[in-house]
């Protein structure tokens, strides 16, 4: 979901939800579909409801969970060879379509990624929230 602003006034909002099955088949739902925002909210809510408990269960058994270039494990967040231990995570925020991860004591973000490129962003954020509370 992308909202466009001009001089601080929202001018329009666009929607695109991509659903991918286990067999790799993808389907996009965009603004040409009536009620796409409601459908998108349902997709996000149901994906989170179904996937988050399974992902938390895997995390609790010590498995590393991969979300695109990010890996979430009991050790912390990892992107490539860079590991950010949980005690160094200052904040994880979703704002303007970007997930931004801040590190304790640093001004700039440790890492960020557009939700367009991040599989199951609400599951990712839910797992991070869970892991930070457990750490």
């Amino acid at each position: 979901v992308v909202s466009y602003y001009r001089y601080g006034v929202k001018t329009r909002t666009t929607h695109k939800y991509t659903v991918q099955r286990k067999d790799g088949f993808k389907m996009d739902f965009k603004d040409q579909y009536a009620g796409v925002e409601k459908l998108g909210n349902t997709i996000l809510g149901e994906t989170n409801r179904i996937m988050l408990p399974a992902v938390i269960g895997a995390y609790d058994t010590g498995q590393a969970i991969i979300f695109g270039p990010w890996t979430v494990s009991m050790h912390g967040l990892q992107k490539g060879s860079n590991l950010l231990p949980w005690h160094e995570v200052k904040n994880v925020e979703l704002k303007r379509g970007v997930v931004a991860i801040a590190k304790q004591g640093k001004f700039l973000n440790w890492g960020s990624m557009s939700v367009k490129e991040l599989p199951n962003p609400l599951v990712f954020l839910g797992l991070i929230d869970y892991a930070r509370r457990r750490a």
Side-chain angles (χ1 to χ4, degrees):
V1 178
V2 179
S3 295
Y4 297 89
Y5 294 84
R6 187 169 196 155
Y7 306 112
V9 177
K10 188 192 267 189
T11 57
R12 68 185 175 107
T13 300
T14 60
H15 305 82
K16 179 182 176 190
Y17 302 94
T18 303
V19 177
Q20 181 174 343
R21 297 188 318 209
K22 288 182 181 183
D23 66 3
F25 176 79
K26 286 184 183 181
M27 185 163 187
D28 290 334
F29 299 94
K30 299 179 185 178
D31 289 317
Q32 72 237 30
Y33 295 102
V36 71
E37 184 173 16
K38 184 177 180 184
L39 173 63
N41 289 335
T42 300
I43 290 169
L44 292 172
E46 289 299 300
T47 300
N48 200 45
R49 183 183 68 78
I50 292 167
M51 291 184 72
L52 187 57
V55 168
I56 286 173
Y59 173 87
D60 282 342
T61 65
Q63 293 181 45
I65 314 299
I66 298 170
F67 292 86
W70 297 94
T71 301
V72 180
S73 74
M74 290 189 172
H75 302 289
L77 277 169
Q78 187 168 346
K79 187 172 183 184
S81 62
N82 298 318
L83 175 68
L84 181 63
W86 292 119
H87 68 275
E88 292 183 26
V89 176
K90 178 181 178 182
N91 190 29
V92 178
E93 180 179 49
L94 172 60
K95 190 174 183 179
R96 292 187 163 170
V98 174
V99 174
I101 299 163
K103 181 178 179 178
Q104 296 285 353
K106 299 292 182 185
F107 178 71
L108 297 175
N109 288 332
W110 178 79
S112 62
M113 174 173 259
S114 168
V115 294
K116 293 181 205 177
E117 302 167 25
L118 181 63
N120 302 305
L122 294 183
V123 178
F124 177 73
L125 293 171
L127 179 58
I128 288 175
D129 183 54
Y130 175 81
R132 289 182 69 201
R133 284 186 277 123
R134 294 279 313 258

